Amino acid sequence: MARTGADLVVEALTAAGVKNLFTLSGNQILSVYDATNGRAIRLIHTRHEAAAVHMADGWGRLTEQPGVALVTAGPGHCNALSALYVALMAESPVVLLSGHCPRSQIGRGAFQEIDQVAAARPVTKAAWLAEDPKHLGEDIATALYLASAGRPGPVHLSLPSDLLESVVPDAATDATLPERPRPAPVADALIASVLRLLAEAKRPLILTGPAMGRTILWRKVERLSEATTIPALPMESPRGVNDPWLHAAKGCLSKADLVLLLGKKLDFSLRFGRPPAFSPQCRFIQVGDDAEQIGDETRVALTVRGDPPAVVSRLTEAAQEWPWQHRSWGAEVAAARNTTPAEWEQLRRSSRRPIHPLRVCAAVQPFLDDGAALVCDGGEFGQWAQAGLEAGCRLINGLSGGIGSALPLAVAAKLSYPRRNVFVALGDGTFGFHALELDTALRYRLPIIAIVGNDACWNAEYQLQLQHYGAERAVGCDLLFSRYDKVAEALGGHGEYVEDPDELTTALKRAVESGLPACVNVIIDGVAAPVSQLRDH
Ligand SMILES: Cc1ncc(C[n+]2csc(CCOP(=O)(O)OP(=O)(O)O)c2C)c(N)n1
């Protein structure tokens, strides 16, 4: 039986185990929609193309399987780009498939024609235009492979509509996939050199990039940390060394004399390794399969070119042969991570109005203790939530510092973990970016619970204005105390409005018990986050 190019695309996706296509419809991709009929793949259709990519990103981060988004050409593709940047910085395996004008019209002013590949290139690992219907299956397999290979990240494939609609005789399709290059193993001697340096250091630290800092890979890092007694910390926050989740462990970074960077670049988030974040004597070992950027070569003790997960396994195995004596330093870092300012205890119990963000955290924490997932996003309120909440499964907007992805990420989290409750802590400004994804959540019966810290302000920026320009010059950051809870209700979801801290717990309970996507709109005190932003990068 002859199939269309769109059939080949969908078959290649299902053959690779892709179950959800995060999407928003458009002329150029309707053939792909049609080809999903009767196949084991579901269209999760959203209210904005960026939301579709954020969902693919969330799926990618939580499952380590590429999340796939499908959008239409031109404006649909352009809408998706900012979300690709978020996925790129989060090192998330994502494939963006975009419809494209027919090949015969390229360069002739076709409907919704732009150079989509060029537009996607800066925010992807690879981007190309499919050129032959016979190879569409191979294109898809390659895109999925590249998204996960090495440092994970987004990959883009533009699909001309004529290619998708053309009929491809069975005999013409090429089902064989190209051989994938295997990374060369790291030499034993280099592994031994890394271990020797670590064993000789007084206060070594392991820092990971976003991909190594989550789920399966983080467990590998934990095993290395146990085997070597060297403390490990994930670095995924745009506030970097000021990540509020670090608590007092921030102070340990500057005490380190050697840092093992696992897939982590010495970038703005680590203040490029400079004092005062790190001691001038501190040296770095970089492990990565792409060229890591360390500006000051004298700070590099060793570079290991290799796949970080593979190198971590080798180091853990070989570590058994070495003597390790960093337990007390490890305990110091762990204790610092668990140390929060003394006044926080009182703020967590405070009955004052407007409600302090830590009081909100105190009410939310018991709901997270049974394994619920937490998504944090936005400015100061998001930072308070990251500092004040502990969750076994947590997603944050990530190194991009781009706000707005929380609700789509939560939809992806609920799809990934249907049995867990999914809570979202986000600012009122941030809620506005993708509020209508509550509608998507409703249509797919995904009861996520959004807790909006409403201070009627883009507070993170307002706080910077206060610091740098003064209150009398602060403009353009005010919002309204809007009833975002009623937005959820209007869509058919559940809404709660909370001004009294004593009502927080019952409001959250009602939201959970409603079984609906919910918005708990909490009027909060717009206090500055516990740590400041990195404004000097
Ligand atoms: C896409 C994007 N636009 C703008 C910004 C700049 N920005 C960072 S935090 C923030 C304010 C967030 O306000 P809100 O969500 O209300 O949280 P609050 O700081 O008030 O707690 C803004 C505008 C950004 N980081 N990303």
Side-chain angles (χ1 to χ4, degrees), residues 378-381 401-403 427-430 433 455 457-461:
E380 305 304 78
F381 182 66
I403 58 172
D428 50 338
T430 299
F433 279 72
D455 53 12
C457 187
W458 299 97
N459 193 26
E461 301 305 322

Side-chain angles (χ1 to χ4, degrees), residues 11 36 57 65 120 125-126 223 299 340 414 522:
E11 278 173 17
T36 63
D57 173 5
Q65 301 297 318
K125 290 174 73 179
R223 281 197 286 277
R299 312 295 302 282
T340 52
K414 191 67 187 168
V522 186

Side-chain angles (χ1 to χ4, degrees), residues 82 239 377-384 397 400-404 426-431 433 453 455-462 477 479 524 526-527 533:
S82 66
R239 297 205 180 182
D377 187 12
E380 305 304 78
F381 182 66
Q383 298 301 317
W384 278 110
N397 51 346
S400 72
I403 58 172
L426 75 174
D428 50 338
T430 299
F431 179 76
F433 279 72
D455 53 12
C457 187
W458 299 97
N459 193 26
E461 301 305 322
Y462 175 67
C477 286
L479 294 168
I524 59 156
V527 280
Q533 301 175 60

Side-chain angles (χ1 to χ4, degrees), residues 183 186 191 212 217 220 306-316:
V186 174
I191 295 289
M212 289 301 292
L217 296 184
K220 265 178 180 278
D307 193 31
V311 175
V312 168
S313 299
R314 296 274 306 285
L315 288 171
T316 309

